[in-house]
Amino acid sequence: MDDDTRTTRWEQRTELPLAVASLTFLASYAVRVLEPGLTDLLQTLALVVFLASWALFAVNYAVLWRLSGQGLSFVRTHMLDTVVLILPLLRPLRMVKIYEAMQRRHGKPRLALHARVIAYSGLTTVLLGFAGTVAVYQQERGAPGASMKSFGDAVWWTCATLSTVGYGDVVPVTPMGRLIAVGMMAIGLALLGAVTGTFASWLLQVFSREDDERPPGN
């Protein structure tokens, strides 16, 4: 059995466990941040789940690296897995990859290209938006001079940032909060560009198809 076949079989077997691990990571992280009043036992349990999901991704990364036989070039060819391992807050992106793999199992995607881009962008926005909201709230709450005083403020700030509106009424003041904000701005611009470009391309195809179907002389 060659390396590509073994890698494909491993990825197929780990799709569901990694999807569960992605959601479990996000849930345990949110619990630790949003429910500080939990008992020490529950906080410890959430931390164990948090670290266990990280360990699962690390094991998956190591196995894929070993099966690929690519050496250091594996890092470049599996950039998403590398980024997800280094930056846990981007772990929800793994859900998009798993969704795409499940679509391929049916032989061809169920959605057209334009619909897939919009669906992936929407899924990415929701998952990363929630992760970023929790992360920035963790950094900002209780900070001197912070305008983000509640989780609702953090949600409002995330919506304004991802939509590239940026009202400025709620802004991060801590260094880590601002670093997260830079990432959220980049994500918002990328997703907005992807959706806008896809929609424009779809309109051009529709108008072009109508022109082709129009009888000559009209």
Side-chain angles (χ1 to χ4, degrees):
M1 186 182 299
D2 57 26
D3 292 340
D4 290 340
T5 302
R6 288 188 297 174
T7 300
T8 301
R9 291 184 61 183
W10 173 262
E11 289 181 335
Q12 290 176 348
R13 291 175 178 175
T14 57
E15 282 174 7
L16 183 58
L18 290 177
V20 174
S22 298
L23 296 178
T24 302
F25 164 82
L26 197 56
S28 60
Y29 178 57
V31 167
R32 285 183 55 80
V33 173
L34 302 180
E35 298 293 340
L38 291 177
T39 63
D40 292 341
L41 177 60
L42 292 178
Q43 282 286 345
T44 301
L45 179 60
L47 178 60
V48 169
V49 172
F50 179 90
L51 295 177
S53 65
W54 198 341
L56 186 59
F57 276 89
V59 170
N60 177 69
Y61 189 85
V63 172
L64 288 177
W65 192 335
R66 178 68 179 84
L67 293 177
S68 70
Q70 296 178 355
L72 292 178
S73 61
F74 175 85
V75 177
R76 184 181 67 256
T77 57
H78 292 72
M79 190 58 67
L80 176 60
D81 293 301
T82 303
V83 171
V84 164
L85 181 63
I86 297 175
L87 300 175
L89 285 179
L90 298 182
R91 195 156 299 160
L93 281 175
R94 182 77 192 189
M95 293 296 298
V96 179
K97 182 177 180 180
I98 293 171
Y99 175 74
E100 183 179 2
M102 293 177 63
Q103 292 288 311
R104 288 200 304 267
R105 280 190 176 184
H106 295 86
K108 64 178 181 178
R110 295 182 177 180
L111 300 177
L113 175 61
H114 302 97
R116 272 185 288 152
V117 172
I118 294 176
Y120 295 159
S121 299
L123 180 60
T124 301
T125 300
V126 172
L127 293 174
L128 290 183
F130 180 74
T133 301
V134 176
V136 78
Y137 177 62
Q138 181 185 24
Q139 301 298 322
E140 294 296 310
R141 63 178 179 185
S147 57
M148 197 176 296
K149 302 184 182 302
S150 66
F151 185 67
D153 291 338
V155 172
W156 168 253
W157 171 84
T158 298
C159 293
T161 302
L162 287 178
S163 62
T164 70
V165 174
Y167 279 99
D169 54 341
V170 178
V171 295
V173 297
T174 63
M176 184 57 68
R178 290 177 175 176
L179 182 60
I180 295 172
V182 171
M184 297 284 279
M185 293 174 195
I187 292 170
L189 287 173
L191 293 176
L192 183 63
V195 173
T196 303
T198 300
F199 183 68
S201 175
W202 176 75
L203 287 179
L204 289 174
Q205 286 190 10
V206 171
F207 294 151
S208 176
R209 191 180 304 116
E210 290 179 352
D211 289 340
D212 292 340
E213 295 174 351
R214 186 175 303 169
N218 289 349

